[in-house]
Structure formats: structure tokens, C-alpha cells
Amino acid sequence: MRPVSFGLVLALTCIAGSASAASFDCRKARTADEKAICAERALNDKDVRMEVLYGINKRTLAMGGRGALMDQQQEWLRNRRTCGGNKACLNRAYDRRLADLEKSMERIYSNGPF
């Protein structure tokens, strides 16, 4: 399995800056899970990576697959929220989601030269 370019993730991490995780603005964090993600660099980094992989998958799937992916992401966000501020729970949730998104990246890699 090939990982997403480290340079791409690093660049997006730098662009996101300290005030934002990839998928939400930390200045507007309201829930315990969002606050925990913003407070812990490792969780913030996982959020950035998740958003990059989700975005790539979303842009490369056909319309039916895209809708299913979006539904899965909304369900995952609801489940992540149940972790509250529990960092171990949040890490496990991100690890599972990242594994799912990385697995679907294989489809992209197998469909063309990059």
C-alpha cells in the first residue's frame, strides 16, 4: 500500500496552521472531541491526514460512491463525537477511519500511473 505523499500532507498541515485542524476551525471548537483534537498535536495531525484522504477519495469516486462515502463520513463524525475528550478513544477512531480511507486509496493507485 502506498501512502499519500508525505510532502503533500506536510504542506497541508502547514497551511492549516495552529488555529485549524483540517476538518474544522479550532477557534470555533465547541464539543469535547473537537477541543481534544485541537489541544493534541497528534490528533490534529490525524485529522489533517483524514481530511486529505477523504478529499482525494471524494473527488475520485463516481456519484453513487461519493454519496456513500459522504454518508460514511457523517456516521464516523457522529461516532467520533461519542468519544468526547477521551484521547485514547479518539486515536482509535482516527486509526480505524484512516485505515478505511487508505484501503480505498488502493483503487486510485491501481487505476493509473502517478
Side-chain angles (χ1 to χ4, degrees), residues 55-80:
I56 292 168
N57 276 281
K58 186 176 166 186
R59 284 187 279 289
T60 59
L61 287 171
M63 189 172 287
R66 189 176 311 129
L69 178 70
M70 292 168 71
D71 290 344
Q72 291 165 2
Q73 186 71 3
Q74 289 303 309
E75 180 180 346
W76 179 80
L77 288 168
R78 283 189 297 275
N79 289 335
R80 183 192 76 186

Side-chain angles (χ1 to χ4, degrees), residues 29-53:
R30 299 180 339 265
T31 61
D33 61 319
E34 290 174 343
K35 290 176 182 177
I37 292 161
C38 292
E40 172 124 356
R41 180 62 184 224
L43 286 170
N44 190 318
D45 289 350
K46 286 181 181 187
D47 189 72
V48 169
R49 184 167 174 79
M50 183 272 309
E51 185 67 12
V52 169
L53 291 173

